[in-house]
Amino acid sequence: MCGIIGCTGRAEDTLDVLLSGLEGLEYRGYDSAGVALANGSLEICKRQGELDRLQQAVGNSLRGPVGIGHTRWSTHGPPTDANAHPHTDCTGNVAVVHNGIIENYDELKAELHARGHEFESDTDTEVVPHLIEAALAEGASFEAAFREAVSRLEGSYALAAVTADTEAILATRHDSPLVLGVGDDAAYLASDVPAFLEYTDRVVYLEDDDFARLESGAWTVTDADGQLLDKSVSRVEWDAEETAKSGYDHYMLKEIHEQPRALRKCLRGRVDELTGSIQVDSLEGLSPSSVQFVACGTSYHAALYGAQTLRDAGIPAQAFLASEYATAPAPVGDDALVVGVTQSGETADTLSALREAQRRGVETLAMTNVVGSTATRECDRTLLIRAGPEIGVAATKTFSSQVVACNLLAATIADRGDSREIVEALRDLPGQVQELLDASRAESVAKRFVDSEGYFFIGRGHHHPVALEGALKMKEITYKHAEGFPAGELKHGPLALVTDQTPVFAVVTGDGEEATKTVGNVKEVEARDAPVVAVTDGASDASRYAEAVLEIPETHPQVAPVLANVQLQLVAYHVANELGRSIDKPRNLAKSVTVE
Ligand code: F6R
C-alpha cells in the first residue's frame, strides 16, 4: 500500500531523509515513488518502478528545508511517472501526497475542470492540489486553503501538502494512518514509524481529522475547527536495528529467525511459572459469553486457531473473514466479544468488521503488533502481540506471536486458574523454535521439490490453520499453486489433483485419534504416488509413508502448530529463494492493505 514521508528542520539533508524514509516504507508494497522539496520553488521528481529508478533520477540535486515523499500502490490509473505522487496544481506551486481513496474525486474533478483546471494524471489524488490552488487563488492562507480542500473530500485519506513558498508541511488523516516523528531540531511525518525510526523514536499518533503543521523542525496539531490539541509524545519500543536486515539475505528469513525472541517478548510478564497462571493486564475483568474473531489472510489463520482454542476452553467462539463479516450472525449473549486479529492494526477490512461489531454494541479487542495503530485506538481493549517490526510482506513471526497471544486470551478468559501445562509448554516454546531453526532440513526439502507442479498442505484440528498458512506462504512468495485443507477433506474432491508432481505436506503430531486419522489421509495420498513430507514430532507412524520428514520437538498439542508452521515458513522461503523470487516484496502484494 502507499507510504508517506515528510520532514522539516533538516536543512541540508532533507532529500536523504526522504529517500531513506521511502526505503523504510518499501515493505508496504509499491509500484512508483516520488519526492517534492520546497525552497522558494517546488522541485519534484517521480518515477514508476523501484526506488532505485527514483534515486538515479534525483541524484542529489534537490535541496530544500521542507520535503514530502511517497511510495504509490496503484488504485486509480496504472503505475506511470505521471500517476506517481506528489501531484501538483496548475501553477506547480502546490504538491500533495496521499494514501487512501477519495471517493468523490470524479465530481470534484468535473467541477475543477469546468473552472479551467488541467489534470495530468488518472489519480483521485490530483484533485487535492487543485482544490488548494482554487482556495489560494481566492486569497486564503496555505493552511486555510488546505482545510478548505480537505472539507470537500469524501473517502479515506492521509494527506500531506507543501507549497513552494512556505516552509511548512500540512497534513491530516481520515481512516488512513499518519504519525509524527519528534526529533531534536526536526519534525517528521509518515504513514508508518519505520520511515523515520532511524532519526527518532519519539512519536505522536494523529487521530482522524487532526490537522498537523510541521514547520522549521517544530510541530503543532489542531482539530477540525483549528483548536490546538494537547497531544502526547510516546516512545516506540522498536529500534532501527530491528528494522534492518542485519546480515540476512531477506527480511523474511531474519523475521523467521527472530521468532524465539518475539515469543519471549509476547510472554514476558504475562505467565507465571511458579503458580502456573496467566495474567494479561489489558484483559482484566474480561469474561465474554462468546467470542467472534475477525481477520484477513495470515491473521485469519491465527483467528481460526484462536477460535478453536477458545472452544476447547469451553467458550463459544467462531472466526470470520473480516471482509465477509457484514453477513455474519450477531454474536451470542449479552457479553460477547469481537477480537480483531491484525498485525498492522490498519487493515481496512478488519477495521470495518470491528466497526460493524461496535455498531452492534459488542465489546471489541484489538490483537495487534502496532502500538497506536487505528485498531488499538478504536477498540475497547488491546492485546499487543509484541513481535517487533515485521518488514517482509509475508507475515511470519507475527503469526507465531498471534497464536501465542490466542493462548494467553484463552487462558485468561476461560479462568481455569491453573494453566500449568500450557504455561510450561509456552515457556519452552522459544527454545524449541530455536532448536528447530538450528536443525531444520527445510532447505533440502525445498530443493528436492522446487520444480513440483504444485503443493498441498493438510492438517487436522489445530493443525488445519497451519495447513492453510503453509499454503498461503508458499503461494504468495513462490507464485506457485498451493492449497491447504483439513486433512479429512482432501478425499472429498482435491484428491483428484494429487499426482506424483504434487508433494503433500502433512502436519501430524502426537499419537491420538486425530493423528491416526491424519496418517490414514497420508496413506491415501501416498497410494496415489504423491510424495509426502511429514511435519511431525515422530509420535505417530506418519514418517513411514513419507519421502521426507521435517521434525518438530514434542510439546503440548495446542503449542505444536507454532513449531510445525515454522518448518513450513522455511520451506516456502527456500523454494522462493531457489526460484529467485522477490521474497520480501512479492508481486501485487502489500504489507498493510488499507483499502477494502
Ligand atoms: C500474508 C499476509 C497477509 C496479512 C493480511 C492481514 O503473509 O501478511 O495475508 O496477514 O493482509 O494483515 P494484518 O494482519 O495486518 O491485518
Side-chain angles (χ1 to χ4, degrees):
M1 292 283 113
C2 305
I4 289 177
I5 174 76
C7 91
T8 74
R10 297 284 308 199
E12 283 308 298
D13 65 350
T14 305
L15 180 62
D16 294 341
V17 174
L18 296 182
L19 292 175
S20 81
L22 294 180
E23 272 170 25
L25 292 167
E26 272 189 293
Y27 76 98
R28 293 168 67 99
Y30 71 104
D31 46 41
S32 42
V35 290
L37 281 89
N39 55 10
S41 66
L42 272 186
E43 300 198 60
I44 295 179
C45 185
K46 45 195 204 168
R47 287 291 181 278
Q48 177 268 327
E50 299 273 312
L51 262 185
D52 292 355
R53 293 198 64 226
L54 175 70
Q55 272 152 352
Q56 272 167 20
V58 84
N60 61 2
S61 57
L62 303 193
R63 292 262 176 276
V66 181
I68 51 177
H70 190 262
T71 47
R72 173 173 187 252
W73 193 79
S74 308
T75 54
H76 293 68
T80 59
D81 289 355
N83 285 337
H85 301 211
H87 288 287
T88 48
D89 63 331
C90 299
T91 64
N93 279 328
V94 180
V96 170
V97 291
H98 162 227
N99 290 356
I101 291 180
I102 294 165
E103 283 159 9
N104 59 337
Y105 85 101
D106 255 345
E107 66 194 65
L108 291 172
K109 199 166 175 173
E111 175 193 316
L112 287 159
H113 212 62
R115 290 161 67 188
H117 290 261
E118 298 289 339
F119 290 84
E120 288 175 0
S121 78
D122 310 312
T123 65
D124 51 342
T125 305
E126 202 183 351
V127 297
V128 183
H130 288 274
L131 286 170
I132 296 174
E133 177 193 4
L136 287 172
E138 284 172 18
S141 66
F142 177 31
E143 185 155 342
F146 182 70
R147 285 175 186 273
E148 165 67 20
V150 170
S151 72
R152 303 290 315 278
L153 306 179
E154 286 167 21
S156 63
Y157 46 81
L159 283 168
V162 290
T163 60
D165 45 13
T166 36
E167 291 199 357
I169 302 174
L170 299 183
T172 188
R173 59 157 284 173
H174 187 85
D175 285 350
S176 189
L178 206 53
V179 56
L180 303 186
V182 180
D184 289 338
D185 299 307
Y188 308 87
L189 171 80
S191 45
D192 212 351
V193 174
F196 56 63
L197 196 54
E198 202 181 328
Y199 307 106
T200 184
D201 60 357
R202 285 178 291 150
V203 301
V204 176
Y205 294 103
L206 296 183
E207 304 286 336
D208 269 356
D209 308 318
D210 282 355
F211 283 78
R213 183 180 183 106
L214 288 72
E215 194 163 10
S216 310
W219 57 275
T220 50
V221 181
T222 45
D223 66 13
D225 301 322
Q227 294 300 315
L228 199 61
L229 295 171
D230 185 16
K231 304 293 279 190
S232 58
V233 179
S234 35
R235 233 171 239 282
V236 285
E237 281 180 21
W238 305 347
D239 57 40
E241 175 60 20
E242 281 186 289
T243 57
K245 260 193 225 159
S246 310
Y248 285 91
D249 288 343
H250 298 97
Y251 281 111
M252 182 181 177
L253 189 60
K254 176 183 178 235
E255 286 155 7
I256 289 173
H257 281 266
E258 280 173 346
Q259 290 177 108
R261 180 173 173 213
L263 297 176
R264 277 190 198 101
K265 276 166 80 174
C266 183
L267 294 169
R268 191 166 301 144
R270 292 166 165 178
V271 293
D272 185 335
E273 286 173 33
L274 284 179
T275 59
S277 64
I278 292 181
Q279 203 180 354
V280 181
D281 291 348
S282 64
L283 302 181
E284 215 173 287
L286 192 62
S287 175
S289 47
S290 70
V291 176
Q292 290 184 332
F293 288 87
V294 291
C296 308
T298 291
S299 295
Y300 172 67
H301 300 151
L304 283 172
Y305 171 93
Q308 179 169 349
T309 305
L310 286 190
R311 288 195 299 271
D312 290 351
I315 298 165
Q318 285 171 289
F320 295 92
L321 284 165
S323 54
E324 293 290 321
Y325 186 63
T327 58
V332 182
D334 290 339
D335 300 318
L337 175 73
V338 170
V339 181
V341 185
T342 166
Q343 182 282 129
S344 60
E346 301 294 349
T347 300
D349 287 323
T350 308
L351 293 175
S352 154
L354 287 165
R355 288 172 193 147
E356 175 62 29
Q358 283 169 336
R359 271 193 295 276
R360 293 172 178 182
V362 183
E363 184 169 8
T364 52
L365 169 74
M367 185 186 285
T368 184
N369 196 29
V370 182
V371 182
S373 57
T374 305
T376 64
R377 289 196 320 270
E378 293 192 2
C379 285
D380 302 307
R381 295 175 186 252
T382 294
L383 173 52
L384 290 172
I385 63 166
R386 302 180 184 162
E390 189 175 68
I391 307 293
V393 163
T396 51
K397 61 177 178 173
T398 52
F399 174 80
S400 299
S401 298
Q402 285 166 343
V403 166
V404 165
C406 286
N407 278 293
L408 300 179
L409 177 68
T412 312
I413 64 181
D415 195 21
R416 291 196 169 159
D418 189 346
S419 314
R420 200 168 301 266
E421 277 183 28
I422 198 76
V423 164
E424 282 173 8
L426 292 174
R427 176 201 60 199
D428 294 342
L429 181 62
Q432 289 182 317
V433 173
Q434 190 60 57
E435 197 184 311
L436 182 159
L437 289 169
D438 294 342
S440 175
R441 283 183 286 194
E443 186 169 1
S444 68
V445 169
K447 285 187 170 145
R448 158 77 182 83
F449 294 115
V450 64
D451 295 323
S452 298
E453 259 170 27
Y455 307 88
F456 292 98
F457 296 79
I458 57 172
R460 198 175 281 269
H462 274 110
H463 292 321
H464 169 216
V466 175
L468 299 181
E469 178 57 12
L472 180 63
K473 227 60 335 165
M474 185 67 98
K475 68 182 101 172
E476 68 179 326
I477 60 167
T478 69
Y479 313 155
K480 294 187 72 169
H481 182 246
E483 292 298 334
F485 297 99
E489 197 56 22
L490 201 64
K491 59 185 176 297
H492 296 290
L495 198 55
L497 295 172
V498 167
T499 70
D500 59 358
Q501 290 304 309
T502 59
V504 177
F505 290 78
V507 184
V508 197
T509 56
D511 58 358
E513 200 183 329
E514 263 185 16
T516 309
K517 285 186 180 168
T518 306
V519 172
N521 305 129
V522 165
K523 289 182 199 164
E524 285 155 17
V525 293
E526 196 245 3
R528 273 125 191 122
D529 295 330
V532 172
V533 180
V535 185
T536 182
D537 56 3
S540 69
D541 58 357
S543 312
R544 271 183 49 200
Y545 308 95
E547 191 171 316
V549 178
L550 292 169
E551 284 155 10
I552 66 168
E554 259 183 65
T555 182
H556 192 289
Q558 215 166 287
V559 174
V562 175
L563 293 161
N565 188 61
V566 174
Q567 289 284 23
L568 297 182
Q569 292 170 347
L570 287 168
V571 174
Y573 172 81
H574 287 297
V575 172
N577 202 28
E578 287 294 312
L579 293 170
R581 301 295 192 233
S582 166
I583 293 181
D584 286 332
K585 289 175 274 164
R587 69 181 179 207
N588 304 337
L589 300 183
K591 182 68 182 163
S592 170
V593 185
T594 49
V595 290
E596 280 184 64

